[in-house]
Amino acid sequence: MHSDVLKKSVETLPHRSLLRASGLKDEDFEKPFIGIANSYNNIIPGHVHLKELAEEVKRGVREAGGVPFEWGVPGVCDGIAMHVEMRLSLPSREHIADNVEIMMLSHSLDGWVGVTNCDKITPGMLMAAGRLDLPAIMLTGGPMKAGVFQGKKVDLISVFEAVGKVEAGGDLKQAEALACAACPSAGSCAGLFTANTMACMTEVLGMSLNGSATPLAVSEKRKKIAFETGKRIVELVKKGVTPRKIMTRNAFENAVMVDMAMGGSTNTALHLPAIAAEVGIELPLSLFDEISRKTPNICKVSPAGEHRMEDVDAAGGVPAILNRLKGKLKDSQTVSGKSIKQLAEEGKILNDKVIRTLENAYSKEGGIAVLKGNLADSSVVKQTAVSEDAMKITGPAKVFTDEESVLKAVKEKKIKEGDVVVLSFLGPAGAPGMPEMLTPTSAIAGAGFKKVALITDGRFSGGTRGPCIGHVEPEAFNNGVIGIVHDGDVIEIDIHARKLNVKLSEEEIRKRMKSVKAPERKMTPLMKLYREKFSKRK
């Protein structure tokens, strides 16, 4: 075992002395040492209950004959950071991976459990799992219950969109009442936003126990999963099952397929390739588009529809989705000891209105489309959250380089139906940190616009809906064409045809590129380092 260096050498007698000060007894030095990377804090709603879940994990570890060692992992609540300071959110993903690497290797632990939830925390832990290739298993914390307001299910995105309604002249008191009802419990926000999408991806990748992505955070089922997770990690250590045996190319392709079928967050196009890179697998955006073209969309979960994660769980959860796709899945292993195909066969569909058949799919194509043209070498849109009449838009650009200016323009009614809002210099280097643009997209949706598109080299929340195109590459800061678009330039969007163009000649583009200037940004030392990492300016 990895920890034998601490347990069996004369040279590490001092090390064992220190571990005895931490509470270890003679018999503990014969057992596997299991790390518990716990992202509990009392700020993020998706994490406030993780202390209790970690206790269940530790109980499971002890019952299976292991010794648990727990430490804290930081997290950013994207919903709270949104519109305030979200440039540190994506950089926190790498910070989390580094945190786990530091703790696991410094203390010679044999395996570990990531007690996690929410947008960057789960991807960061999966990156660490692939990087270290020590036995690992994830316990995602589960979704929040949907809120109920005026007899209808609501969630956090309902509140974000209510802001746009108020700015357009709506009732402030009603919006405040909605805000009090929308987030009624611990857990990751109730729709298929990035946190819950990544929990589903973790299950399909085989890195969490079967059926663990969708049970509510506050359920007894979640506690049982935590206990079983603790037991299972000890078995993985004893059998030498490591993440690179589980997170294979087949596993990643299966995850992308499930993402497309469910209509998950566009942030998977950032996270899955980053996780794959840690195990030496390239996962290009073209693969997302290729799989999307042949994977029917069989779920409409908020923000794409009225269902919430609790409805998906009641309908059979991820195992039911796998069952629908069982003829398309590629074989891969899971931490449960069963293959993904075995789990798909065992999956039960309990509600075919929530999880439709392939023949009765909402659309023949899956959740994400990758658009290209003279405005982008690549860009990403959640096409299953776009209405059919907004799939093709040609309109004048309204250009901004910060969210506040967009919100002001919406409030002052300077945005008109048919406009294409362009938010540039908000990519990994330009912002820096590639913040999400949920606040402006929600303001646009809340104001009632049906055919106002938004294009950005930043990214979107999993809660974004409508013709919102993000991840534009190259980004403006790195000489991308999005950085030279002016107010009034005509932009053509055709999602079905995968096209994104600005009606400018190549000569005009080259001319403008000579005088482009990035806006000044106030930055911390960490932000400066992040900009340096992604800057490709000539």
Side-chain angles (χ1 to χ4, degrees):
M1 287 190 288
H2 194 234
S3 61
D4 282 351
V5 66
L6 293 178
K7 299 170 180 172
K8 300 184 182 298
S9 169
V10 173
E11 288 80 9
T12 54
L13 272 172
H15 307 62
R16 293 196 288 280
S17 182
L18 287 169
L19 287 169
R20 289 178 187 279
S22 297
L24 268 64
K25 305 291 189 273
D26 287 348
E27 60 269 22
D28 293 326
F29 291 100
E30 302 299 321
K31 301 174 183 178
F33 284 1
I34 306 298
I36 313 292
N38 185 4
S39 62
Y40 160 78
N41 59 65
N42 65 357
I43 303 171
I44 306 176
H47 294 232
V48 294
H49 64 305
L50 296 186
K51 184 186 292 185
E52 289 76 19
L53 292 184
E55 288 302 317
E56 289 299 305
V57 173
K58 289 189 285 186
R59 191 167 69 87
V61 168
R62 293 189 188 100
E63 181 162 309
V67 182
F69 295 91
E70 182 181 5
W71 73 88
V73 174
V76 172
C77 180
D78 285 9
I80 295 172
M82 198 87 62
H83 188 55
V84 182
E85 183 48 271
M86 204 190 184
R87 293 179 295 168
L88 293 167
S89 176
L90 187 56
S92 75
R93 183 186 69 182
E94 279 69 19
H95 179 73
I96 289 160
D98 293 345
N99 173 295
V100 176
E101 177 184 350
I102 289 166
M103 294 299 290
M104 285 296 296
L105 298 186
S106 298
H107 302 104
S108 302
L109 304 179
D110 297 307
W112 64 286
V113 176
V115 182
T116 176
N117 226 7
C118 297
D119 301 53
K120 308 309 161 308
I121 300 88
T122 300
M125 289 197 184
L126 287 168
M127 288 167 67
R131 180 187 302 175
L132 298 174
D133 201 32
L134 291 166
I137 184 170
M138 300 296 125
L139 173 69
T140 50
M144 183 184 291
K145 292 168 63 176
V148 178
F149 183 69
Q150 296 180 344
K152 293 183 179 181
K153 284 186 177 182
V154 294
D155 54 43
L156 179 67
I157 305 307
S158 310
V159 187
F160 269 98
E161 294 188 359
V163 174
K165 292 176 183 177
V166 171
E167 299 287 14
D171 187 340
L172 176 59
K173 286 189 176 180
Q174 180 165 300
E176 289 174 339
L178 168 64
C180 292
C183 299
S185 75
S188 47
C189 299
L192 190 60
F193 315 141
T194 305
N196 290 322
T197 300
M198 286 309 303
C200 294
M201 297 299 94
T202 303
E203 186 174 333
V204 180
L205 282 172
M207 288 299 294
S208 61
L209 291 181
N210 187 44
S212 66
T214 58
L216 288 173
V218 295
S219 65
E220 285 301 312
K221 189 175 181 181
R222 179 64 53 187
K223 291 180 181 178
K224 182 180 179 182
I225 292 168
F227 176 69
E228 293 299 328
T229 296
K231 289 174 64 177
R232 187 62 187 161
I233 186 58
V234 177
E235 291 303 309
L236 295 178
V237 168
K238 290 178 179 178
K239 293 178 180 179
V241 179
T242 63
R244 294 190 186 185
K245 295 175 182 176
I246 293 169
M247 291 195 289
T248 60
R249 172 164 288 280
N250 281 358
F252 281 103
E253 292 191 16
N254 289 337
V256 173
M257 186 186 303
V258 170
D259 186 21
M260 298 306 112
M262 295 186 74
S265 167
T266 54
N267 279 315
T268 56
L270 286 174
H271 298 320
L272 288 177
I275 298 161
E278 295 286 358
V279 299
I281 295 171
E282 185 180 358
L283 208 66
L285 270 183
S286 58
L287 180 67
F288 284 73
D289 199 60
E290 177 188 330
I291 293 175
S292 183
R293 286 179 184 272
K294 55 189 180 185
T295 304
N297 173 229
I298 57 175
C299 297
K300 285 285 188 185
V301 185
S302 176
E306 294 303 313
H307 297 134
R308 294 333 192 259
M309 292 306 294
E310 60 195 45
D311 302 313
V312 176
D313 188 59
V318 169
I321 305 287
L322 294 173
N323 186 271
R324 289 290 197 218
L325 298 170
K326 61 185 178 182
K328 296 174 175 285
L329 294 169
K330 295 183 176 181
D331 210 23
S332 61
Q333 294 304 307
T334 73
V335 291
S336 71
K338 294 183 178 181
S339 74
I340 202 76
K341 286 193 171 185
Q342 286 177 289
L343 297 177
E345 286 291 344
E346 295 172 4
K348 300 286 191 297
I349 299 101
L350 305 177
N351 188 330
D352 59 13
K353 292 181 180 178
V354 176
I355 303 173
R356 289 191 174 189
T357 64
L358 300 186
E359 296 73 23
N360 188 39
Y362 287 101
S363 60
K364 291 181 180 179
E365 293 187 356
I368 287 175
V370 178
L371 312 188
K372 299 180 180 181
N374 71 349
L375 192 52
D377 291 346
S378 67
S379 62
V380 178
V381 62
K382 185 193 282 193
Q383 62 175 340
T384 47
V386 181
S387 63
E388 184 57 39
D389 61 356
M391 284 286 188
K392 193 172 183 178
I393 294 175
T394 299
K398 295 284 180 70
V399 181
F400 307 89
T401 57
D402 60 80
E403 294 180 70
E404 291 83 357
S405 299
V406 179
L407 299 179
K408 184 179 179 183
V410 171
K411 187 174 183 179
E412 295 176 355
K413 296 182 170 51
K414 292 180 179 178
I415 306 294
K416 309 295 182 185
E417 199 73 82
D419 284 346
V420 178
V421 174
V422 176
L423 260 167
S424 56
F425 292 95
L426 288 165
M434 203 180 189
E436 289 180 349
M437 299 293 108
L438 177 61
T439 301
T441 59
S442 296
I444 289 167
F449 291 115
K450 304 299 182 187
K451 292 190 71 173
V452 169
L454 194 151
I455 301 171
T456 182
D457 50 6
R459 60 194 176 92
F460 293 118
S461 161
T464 293
R465 64 184 176 95
C468 300
I469 300 160
H471 304 203
V472 168
E473 280 289 337
E475 62 171 292
F477 193 86
N478 290 334
N479 306 304
V481 173
I482 189 173
I484 57 94
V485 176
H486 294 170
D487 283 347
D489 289 343
V490 176
I491 292 177
E492 297 176 320
I493 302 166
D494 189 335
I495 295 173
H496 287 312
R498 307 298 203 260
K499 298 294 184 184
L500 181 62
N501 290 294
V502 57
K503 295 185 79 171
L504 294 173
S505 67
E506 289 185 17
E507 182 182 354
E508 178 63 19
I509 290 172
R510 284 195 299 270
K511 179 182 174 183
R512 291 189 189 183
M513 201 68 77
K514 293 176 182 177
S515 59
V516 68
K517 187 178 180 181
E520 293 290 326
R521 306 284 196 205
K522 185 177 179 181
M523 294 194 293
T524 65
L526 179 56
M527 291 177 190
K528 290 177 182 176
L529 285 172
Y530 203 76
R531 170 171 282 183
E532 288 172 11
K533 178 179 179 180
F534 289 98
S535 177
K536 300 174 185 175
R537 298 195 86 179
K538 297 175 182 177

